[in-house]
Amino acid sequence: MQAEAGPGADSFPGERPSRRILRDETLLVLALSLGASGVSALISFIGSVTRPGGLKDQAATLNASAAPGRPWLDLAWQLFGIATALVPVALVAHLLLREGRSLRTLGFDRTRPWPDLGRGAVIAAVIGSTGIAFYLAARGFGFNLTVVPEALPAVWWKYPVLILSALQNAILEEVVVVGYLLRRLGQLGWTPGTALAASSVLRGSYHLYQGIGGFVGNLVMGVVFVWLYRRWGRVGPLVVAHSLLDIGAFVGYALLAGKVGWLPTA
């Protein structure tokens, strides 16, 4: 099943947009979201490898305070950042409407909640356990920075914000990098293999700020997620899996950092 095109992928109300329009649309969506993040991560990685000292002696913080010492202002910035990061998903939904489609075409809906939850939980369990081992090994060999999943103040909104941040990451990445990108690349005539490579390399690229380990680990995860999307035709299970992985990383770090010896801290 080549889910990147999806049912009715070539059906547009009225005149079908040209290949150039579809190409430019795809580039603009990526430039406003995870494509730009990939360039930013590359610049960050170059800065890290050219800085004195090894990568594992440097840290990459994912959820940091935006206004230290001012919890209400900090909360406002956190919620603002989460909301604006989801704008590209709204843009994708709008562009799909032009085809007479919706996010349901990508399998991002509530029509199959229990299968999506079950499959997502299994994916998260398998990838989570191997992911932790890979990260620790990559850091030990000096291929990765020390990842600090959260550095928020100990206030009442800390854990809700971490969960919302995890959900935002999952929705943005799986809708844009899997569902939308594969659909558009299929409409542009890309082969399934080339589209899989593009999606997976893009996923790895915006994790490059973590180091080579972050790039390779997420590239492999991208291959698995594309394969599962094509098998099931739904990004729903992938959003669930990604959400659980990030919630486990963010909340788990907040609860365990400094209390267990195997978890690296900055």
Side-chain angles (χ1 to χ4, degrees):
M1 176 180 182
Q2 295 182 9
E4 69 272 22
D10 295 325
S11 300
F12 286 81
E15 184 179 355
R16 186 180 188 277
S18 66
R19 288 173 58 88
R20 179 178 179 179
I21 289 176
L22 291 176
R23 181 200 65 196
D24 292 350
E25 170 197 295
T26 304
L27 291 174
L28 286 170
V29 170
L30 294 179
L32 291 170
S33 59
L34 295 164
S37 297
V39 176
S40 174
L42 174 60
I43 296 171
S44 177
F45 175 70
I46 293 172
S48 296
V49 297
T50 55
R51 185 178 302 157
L55 288 179
K56 69 178 181 180
D57 298 321
Q58 303 175 46
T61 304
L62 307 188
N63 293 282
S65 175
R70 305 183 68 183
W72 286 104
L73 183 62
D74 199 348
L75 174 60
W77 278 119
Q78 299 293 337
L79 296 178
F80 174 77
I82 291 169
T84 53
L86 289 173
V87 171
V89 177
L91 176 59
V92 164
H94 171 76
L95 294 171
L96 288 172
L97 286 175
R98 183 188 61 184
E99 304 176 50
R101 302 292 171 177
S102 68
L103 291 176
R104 177 175 292 186
T105 306
L106 308 181
F108 185 58
D109 55 34
R110 295 178 293 176
T111 59
R112 304 185 63 189
W114 296 115
D116 287 351
L117 287 170
R119 288 170 170 173
V122 171
I123 298 168
V126 174
I127 291 182
S129 56
T130 56
I132 291 173
F134 182 79
Y135 160 67
L136 294 175
R139 181 182 176 276
F141 284 113
F143 297 143
N144 226 73
L145 284 76
T146 298
V147 178
V148 180
E150 72 85 23
L152 295 177
V155 291
W156 65 269
W157 49 259
K158 175 176 181 172
Y159 292 104
V161 162
L162 290 175
I163 292 172
L164 288 175
S165 178
L167 293 173
Q168 171 254 298
N169 289 342
I171 294 170
L172 174 64
E173 294 185 35
E174 306 317 325
V175 169
V176 173
V177 178
V178 178
Y180 171 76
L181 182 59
L182 292 181
R183 181 176 179 82
R184 284 293 182 260
L185 294 181
Q187 291 169 328
L188 288 169
W190 288 42
T191 66
T194 306
L196 179 149
S199 175
S200 302
V201 170
L202 175 59
R203 186 187 295 268
S205 72
Y206 56 79
H207 289 93
L208 192 56
Y209 68 91
Q210 299 176 9
I212 295 296
F215 173 81
V216 173
N218 281 279
L219 185 149
V220 173
M221 177 176 162
V223 172
V224 173
F225 273 28
V226 169
W227 182 81
L228 292 174
Y229 175 65
R230 287 174 171 166
R231 181 178 178 86
W232 296 329
R234 295 183 59 77
V235 298
L238 309 182
V239 171
V240 171
H242 196 148
S243 297
L244 293 175
L245 288 169
D246 279 8
I247 290 171
F250 299 167
V251 175
Y253 185 89
L255 295 174
L256 298 177
K259 299 178 182 177
V260 293
W262 57 266
L263 183 62
T265 57

